[in-house]
């Protein structure tokens, strides 16, 4: 459901690079997917510390997944 939202030449959706109208469409699409979703983000000014922000987001994601007792993914 998300692949059609990619623009031509876009490998993946990236929130930072999207206009607000596209962000709304992405959120609407996520909300229509019948599955568990976790979206972790940070709120700050743009800076060159993206690796730190990515690390902090992953830290929060791991914490939330462990709270939900998600320990591994089933890949088919």
């Amino acid at each position: 459901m998300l692949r059609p939202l990619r623009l031509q030449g876009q490998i993946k959706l990236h929130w930072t690079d999207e206009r607000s109208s596209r962000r709304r469409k992405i959120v609407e699409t996520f909300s229509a997917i019948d599955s568990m979703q976790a979206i972790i983000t940070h709120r700050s000014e743009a800076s060159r510390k993206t690796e730190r922000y990515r690390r902090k987001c992953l830290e929060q994601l791991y914490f939330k997944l462990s709270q939900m007792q998600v320990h591994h993914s089933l890949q088919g």
Side-chain angles (χ1 to χ4, degrees):
M1 291 178 72
L2 297 174
R3 284 188 180 128
L5 294 176
R6 293 181 302 176
L7 299 173
Q8 186 172 353
Q10 200 174 23
I11 295 170
K12 63 182 180 179
L13 296 174
H14 197 284
W15 191 258
T16 306
D17 299 336
E18 302 294 347
R19 298 182 318 273
S20 58
S21 60
R22 292 215 359 107
R23 287 179 180 181
R24 278 191 292 280
K25 181 64 176 166
I26 293 167
V27 169
E28 288 170 8
T29 303
F30 265 108
S31 66
I33 296 173
D34 187 27
S35 66
M36 186 279 296
Q37 301 151 34
I39 299 172
I40 307 292
T41 185
H42 71 88
R43 293 178 57 115
S44 65
E45 296 296 319
S47 81
R48 291 187 286 178
K49 299 179 183 178
T50 57
E51 285 304 316
R52 179 178 185 278
Y53 293 137
R54 184 175 292 117
R55 190 172 59 249
K56 297 304 266 179
C57 286
L58 285 172
E59 178 183 295
Q60 186 66 23
L61 176 62
Y62 296 149
F63 175 74
K64 293 293 185 186
L65 290 173
S66 69
Q67 281 186 322
M68 293 185 289
Q69 298 182 355
V70 175
H71 301 287
H72 60 84
S73 107
L74 299 175
Q75 303 260 335

